[in-house]
């Protein structure tokens, strides 16, 4: 298998893992009440249930979009700027954990001040579930980072030959 084909296979695998993350996150939002019931048990007040939006999903969705763009650039037939994928995905992978933690902490402080203990409990429990679901996103970004580095290096060597 040549280098270009292996990069394309890695980009497709990364794309599939990123789509898996999106599917799991949407499923978690659809079944949010059942997730809360698993955590709370009998003490959960189902009448006062409100859906929780996790602020950390904003940078996660941006990272998802960046990963999809990088994979598209590597799969595209036109190879104009070969360093673009590695630059985009490196910045994304470096900033995502910081922005994710900042958003989660900000949301929990905001909810504690305005919502009270019930909303803080529901919010923190759903944040825990979605934080575990973030592992496929990181895996997809890491695969895209490795593939983009090989992509940039292989093109440089092919031009020299």
């Amino acid at each position: 298998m040549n280098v270009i084909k292996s990069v394309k296979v890695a980009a497709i695998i990364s794309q599939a893992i990123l789509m898996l993350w999106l599917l799991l996150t949407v499923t978690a939002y659809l079944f949010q009440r059942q997730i809360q019931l698993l955590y709370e048990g009998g003490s959960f007040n189902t009448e006062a249930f409100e859906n929780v939006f996790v602020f950390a999903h904003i940078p996660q969705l941006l990272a998802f979009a960046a990963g999809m763009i990088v994979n598209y650039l590597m799969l595209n037939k036109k190879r104009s700027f070969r360093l673009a994928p590695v630059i985009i995905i490196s910045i994304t992978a470096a900033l995502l954990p910081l922005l994710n933690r900042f958003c989660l902490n900000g949301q929990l402080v905001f909810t504690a001040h305005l919502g009270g203990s019930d909303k803080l409990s529901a919010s923190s429990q759903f944040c825990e579930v979605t934080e575990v679901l973030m592992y496929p996103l990181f895996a997809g970004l890491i695969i895209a980072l490795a593939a983009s580095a090989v992509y940039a290096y292989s093109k440089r060597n092919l031009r020299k030959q």
Side-chain angles (χ1 to χ4, degrees), residues 44-160:
F44 184 61
N45 186 5
T46 56
E47 290 83 25
F49 175 77
E50 292 180 14
N51 284 332
V52 177
F53 176 73
V54 181
F55 293 164
H57 284 148
I58 295 169
Q60 290 175 14
L61 284 172
L62 292 173
F64 169 78
M68 298 295 269
I69 289 169
V70 164
N71 288 329
Y72 174 75
L73 288 174
M74 287 186 291
L75 291 172
N76 195 4
K77 298 292 182 205
K78 301 174 186 172
R79 293 171 177 87
S80 57
F81 187 58
R82 288 156 184 78
L83 291 177
V86 74
I87 291 170
I88 293 170
I89 203 71
S90 327
I91 292 171
T92 303
L95 289 180
L96 182 61
L98 300 173
L99 292 174
N100 186 49
R101 183 52 52 196
F102 177 75
C103 289
L104 283 175
N105 288 343
Q107 180 174 6
L108 292 179
V109 168
F110 181 70
T111 306
H113 284 294
L114 296 179
S117 63
D118 288 339
K119 288 187 181 181
L120 178 64
S121 173
S123 175
S124 66
Q125 289 167 356
F126 190 66
C127 285
E128 280 183 33
V129 170
T130 58
E131 209 171 319
V132 170
L133 294 179
M134 205 171 75
Y135 293 141
L137 177 65
F138 277 127
L141 292 177
I142 289 170
I143 292 170
L145 177 64
S148 65
V150 171
Y151 176 76
Y153 181 74
S154 68
K155 288 299 171 185
R156 190 180 70 176
N157 283 347
L158 288 177
R159 263 191 278 151
K160 285 181 182 178

